[in-house]
Amino acid sequence: MTRDEMAAADRPTILVVDDDPHVLASLIDELSEQYGVTPAADGEAALEALERQHFDAVVSDVRMPGISGVEVIRRAFELDRDIVRILLTGYSDDAARVAAATPGGAYKLGKPWGEEFGIVLRRALEQRQAAIRSRDELMFERTVREQTEQAISRLSKMAAVGTLVAGVAHELRSPLACLTANLQALPQVAVQLDPLLERLQVGLESATPDGVDFIAALRARWREDAPAAAAQEIKQIGADCLDSTHRLQEIVDGLRTYSAPARRARYRAVELERCVARAVRLVASEYKRGVTFRTAVTPGLGGVIGHEGEIIQVLVNLMLNAVQAMGGRGTIDVRVRCTEKNVLLEVEDSGPGVPEDARARLFQPFFTTKPDALGNGLGLWLSREIAVRHGGDLRCVARPPPGALFVMELPISRDGDDDDGNGNGDG
Ligand SMILES: Nc1ncnc2c1ncn2[C@@H]1O[C@H](COP(=O)(O)OP(=O)(O)OP(=O)(O)O)[C@@H](O)[C@H]1O
Ligand SMILES: [Mg+2]
């Protein structure tokens, strides 16, 4: 592209509409030095041009055969809320006056036009540029903010997983050990059936036609070979193995749900009881030695629409704070109950409580009273963001020490509120 071509590409574009060829020619003449001008000889041609191309401004005569100038600028506004619209009319025209009277509406100038026409056009185009720029900046800011928050949220989640990983690994070990022991025992039990099977085979091969001897021999040894006990044992081993794999599955699913990136489009009905169970399991896997975890979930709670991983994240954050405040010893109560409009998820601990001077700053990002390695001051901020994103809130209940109580309120969804219209879950 040459310099001239680049300058031409940067120039504001203007659609000029008039059914009088002389007027049209003189408008083109006046504007084409500064602007990229597209002429249209009537309203219909103007509408076609609007559908085809994007303009910064439309300058139109009002009275034209067929489609009027008022109609042209109305369509232009539908297509672009920021487009500059100027009506030029030699008449005192009611429709044009109305079109010009609305705030942010069209300009209406008389014909023949004077130098104010050029000034109005330039100013309006500058305002349009400024409006577009500030909207772009706002959009950019919002996108950056959202992406940053997502990144922080993920990092903070991963940091919590880091804190919990030893416990989770330990938690995985017990069902794994159970699986190993059972699978080792299985062949030994199966071996017990071998003599019986062998005897059956020999007996069947040598049995007399009436089989009486064979059946009598079998009956005599039945108790000794104990096939029913062996079969029972094999069934039991199978059941124990299955139980272990379920436990493993549940832990792995919990971790997966917790770590899944949250997308608003994937909000769906959340099973709060399972959220609580998974969050407690994650934290208890690391801290159950010193801490007693108690849960109480009111049966028949109203549904909440959201992201299970995010709700688990809030509960994990609150419980980790509680564990840290209690120095790893004490009791944590996690309760879920309902008011008329909200579900309340409460995490209460038996620690020293939140100091009065910290209360006002608890939810600010980077506020922490912990040494570097223990806290970034992001847990509560992120948790509140999550609650707000779900249409609710998170607060710390003011009360005398000891103990702290945090409550997340989430709105109860009406049936079928599910955002996840396409049925996609995080799986
Ligand atoms: N249950 C609680 N009891 C007493 N103080 C608490 C409790 N929960 C939070 N706080 C106070 O609030 C501060 C902020 O908590 P927040 O979870 O936001 O950050 P953090 O735990 O310090 O760091 P991070 O969560 O990023 O690891 C904590 O440093 C602590 O002083
Ligand atoms: Mg924290």
Side-chain angles (χ1 to χ4, degrees):
M1 229 190 230
T2 65
R3 187 184 285 253
D4 282 351
E5 278 169 343
M6 266 155 64
D10 268 355
R11 288 195 305 180
T13 51
I14 301 181
L15 175 65
V16 182
V17 196
D18 207 304
D19 61 327
D20 181 334
H22 298 294
V23 177
L24 197 57
S26 75
L27 277 169
I28 294 170
D29 193 39
E30 179 163 340
L31 298 174
S32 45
E33 198 174 311
Q34 284 186 63
Y35 306 111
V37 179
T38 300
D42 54 32
E44 205 159 303
L47 293 189
E48 272 172 34
L50 282 170
E51 300 301 332
R52 216 177 34 239
Q53 194 189 326
H54 189 239
F55 295 97
D56 294 298
V58 49
V59 175
S60 179
D61 182 21
V62 177
R63 293 191 183 180
M64 295 181 285
I67 294 161
S68 79
V70 173
E71 180 60 22
V72 170
I73 63 161
R74 195 190 56 74
R75 179 64 187 145
F77 182 64
E78 271 174 14
L79 291 168
D80 176 353
R81 299 266 140 180
D82 291 313
I83 197 166
V84 172
R85 290 149 290 146
I86 298 181
L87 290 171
L88 290 175
T89 177
Y91 306 91
S92 102
D93 191 303
D94 276 352
R97 202 175 309 118
V98 171
T102 47
Y107 295 91
K108 176 173 154 292
L109 297 173
K111 267 183 187 172
W113 59 90
E115 66 174 349
E116 85 274 14
F117 169 56
I119 298 169
V120 165
L121 180 59
R122 199 173 56 244
R123 293 244 171 94
L125 283 168
E126 282 164 7
Q127 274 173 15
R128 167 181 162 82
Q129 282 310 326
I132 290 173
R133 225 177 4 253
S134 77
R135 201 171 22 249
D136 283 354
E137 277 164 15
L138 218 66
M139 195 90 126
F140 178 71
E141 246 173 55
R142 191 185 308 155
T143 312
V144 169
R145 190 159 8 99
E146 275 171 15
Q147 284 175 352
T148 312
E149 198 189 295
Q150 267 172 22
I152 293 175
S153 169
R154 258 187 104 60
L155 284 174
S156 151
K157 253 191 218 174
M158 290 309 128
V161 170
T163 312
L164 299 173
V165 78
V168 172
H170 188 254
E171 187 88 332
L172 292 171
R173 258 178 32 189
S174 120
L176 265 178
C178 179
L179 263 180
T180 311
N182 275 309
L183 290 173
Q184 277 168 348
L186 196 57
Q188 290 159 20
V189 180
V191 160
Q192 293 170 24
L193 292 174
D194 283 352
L196 176 77
L197 290 171
E198 208 170 293
R199 220 184 322 279
L200 268 174
Q201 191 180 359
V202 173
L204 280 171
E205 276 162 11
S206 59
T208 52
D210 63 6
V212 173
D213 294 349
F214 168 54
I215 291 169
L218 201 60
R219 218 175 253 153
R221 300 299 298 264
W222 190 259
R223 227 172 254 284
E224 196 178 317
D225 287 342
Q232 183 56 36
E233 205 170 332
I234 289 172
K235 279 187 211 154
Q236 187 58 49
I237 286 175
D240 288 350
C241 285
L242 211 57
D243 179 57
S244 296
T245 58
H246 283 154
R247 275 155 63 203
L248 289 171
Q249 188 72 50
E250 177 59 24
I251 297 167
V252 172
D253 283 352
L255 267 180
R256 234 162 60 101
T257 316
Y258 174 66
S259 316
R263 290 192 206 95
R264 182 96 178 75
R266 290 193 159 185
Y267 278 16
R268 57 178 168 159
V270 171
E271 268 184 53
L272 290 169
E273 192 158 7
R274 192 167 66 182
C275 286
V276 170
R278 286 184 166 171
V280 169
R281 171 165 236 150
L282 277 172
V283 179
S285 60
E286 177 66 7
Y287 294 107
K288 66 173 160 241
R289 220 164 300 143
V291 181
T292 306
F293 292 85
R294 295 190 299 214
T295 58
V297 180
T298 311
L301 283 170
V304 161
I305 296 297
H307 188 270
E308 198 170 310
E310 287 200 318
I311 292 172
I312 296 176
Q313 185 179 4
V314 174
L315 292 169
V316 166
N317 284 343
L318 295 177
M319 280 189 276
L320 280 180
N321 279 348
V323 169
Q324 288 162 350
M326 300 188 307
R329 317 221 133 255
T331 304
I332 297 180
D333 282 290
V334 183
R335 292 182 294 265
V336 188
R337 58 192 182 88
C338 252
T339 61
E340 198 187 327
K341 290 194 174 145
N342 292 316
V343 171
L344 307 184
L345 289 104
E346 300 178 333
V347 176
E348 185 172 24
D349 64 57
S350 61
V354 178
E356 197 49 50
D357 55 341
R359 189 177 304 281
R361 301 172 61 201
L362 281 184
F363 295 96
Q364 290 172 3
F366 302 111
F367 171 74
T368 182
T369 56
K370 296 169 193 171
D372 265 4
L374 257 185
N376 296 306
L378 292 174
L380 287 178
W381 170 67
L382 276 170
S383 301
R384 179 179 263 178
E385 293 287 311
I386 289 171
V388 170
R389 209 162 33 238
H390 281 77
D393 202 3
L394 173 68
R395 59 199 162 78
C396 170
V397 176
R399 61 182 224 178
L405 172 59
F406 286 83
V407 182
M408 173 157 71
E409 271 178 356
L410 298 177
I412 296 173
S413 68
R414 284 166 285 118
D415 271 354
D417 262 0
D418 203 328
D419 266 19
D420 185 14
N422 54 15
N424 279 333
D426 280 329

PDB file of all heavy atoms in Angstrom, residues 317 321 324 370 379, ligand 2:
ATOM      1  N   ASN A 317     -11.074 -23.081  49.811  1.00  0.00           N
ATOM      2  CA  ASN A 317     -10.413 -21.863  50.305  1.00  0.00           C
ATOM      3  C   ASN A 317     -10.810 -21.567  51.752  1.00  0.00           C
ATOM      4  O   ASN A 317      -9.963 -21.263  52.595  1.00  0.00           O
ATOM      5  CB  ASN A 317     -10.796 -20.648  49.450  1.00  0.00           C
ATOM      6  CG  ASN A 317     -10.077 -20.640  48.119  1.00  0.00           C
ATOM      7  OD1 ASN A 317      -9.080 -21.349  47.949  1.00  0.00           O
ATOM      8  ND2 ASN A 317     -10.549 -19.865  47.173  1.00  0.00           N
ATOM      9  N   ASN A 321      -8.343 -21.793  55.012  1.00  0.00           N
ATOM     10  CA  ASN A 321      -8.179 -20.656  55.923  1.00  0.00           C
ATOM     11  C   ASN A 321      -8.458 -21.080  57.361  1.00  0.00           C
ATOM     12  O   ASN A 321      -7.737 -20.709  58.286  1.00  0.00           O
ATOM     13  CB  ASN A 321      -9.148 -19.530  55.550  1.00  0.00           C
ATOM     14  CG  ASN A 321      -8.636 -18.694  54.390  1.00  0.00           C
ATOM     15  OD1 ASN A 321      -7.475 -18.807  54.001  1.00  0.00           O
ATOM     16  ND2 ASN A 321      -9.495 -17.865  53.844  1.00  0.00           N
ATOM     17  N   GLN A 324      -5.692 -23.220  58.703  1.00  0.00           N
ATOM     18  CA  GLN A 324      -4.502 -22.408  58.984  1.00  0.00           C
ATOM     19  C   GLN A 324      -4.719 -21.527  60.219  1.00  0.00           C
ATOM     20  O   GLN A 324      -3.822 -21.390  61.047  1.00  0.00           O
ATOM     21  CB  GLN A 324      -4.141 -21.562  57.749  1.00  0.00           C
ATOM     22  CG  GLN A 324      -3.551 -22.438  56.632  1.00  0.00           C
ATOM     23  CD  GLN A 324      -3.578 -21.791  55.248  1.00  0.00           C
ATOM     24  OE1 GLN A 324      -4.194 -20.752  55.042  1.00  0.00           O
ATOM     25  NE2 GLN A 324      -2.905 -22.425  54.293  1.00  0.00           N
ATOM     26  N   LYS A 370      -0.603 -13.804  56.657  1.00  0.00           N
ATOM     27  CA  LYS A 370       0.232 -15.002  56.758  1.00  0.00           C
ATOM     28  C   LYS A 370       1.614 -14.749  56.173  1.00  0.00           C
ATOM     29  O   LYS A 370       1.753 -13.906  55.281  1.00  0.00           O
ATOM     30  CB  LYS A 370      -0.448 -16.156  56.004  1.00  0.00           C
ATOM     31  CG  LYS A 370      -1.774 -16.520  56.639  1.00  0.00           C
ATOM     32  CD  LYS A 370      -2.582 -17.457  55.797  1.00  0.00           C
ATOM     33  CE  LYS A 370      -4.017 -17.515  56.351  1.00  0.00           C
ATOM     34  NZ  LYS A 370      -4.925 -18.230  55.486  1.00  0.00           N
ATOM     35  N   GLY A 379      -7.320 -15.915  48.378  1.00  0.00           N
ATOM     36  CA  GLY A 379      -8.394 -16.902  48.554  1.00  0.00           C
ATOM     37  C   GLY A 379      -9.769 -16.281  48.737  1.00  0.00           C
ATOM     38  O   GLY A 379     -10.716 -16.643  48.035  1.00  0.00           O
TER      39      GLY A 379
HETATM   40 MG    MG B   2      -6.705 -18.362  52.087  1.00  0.00          MG
END
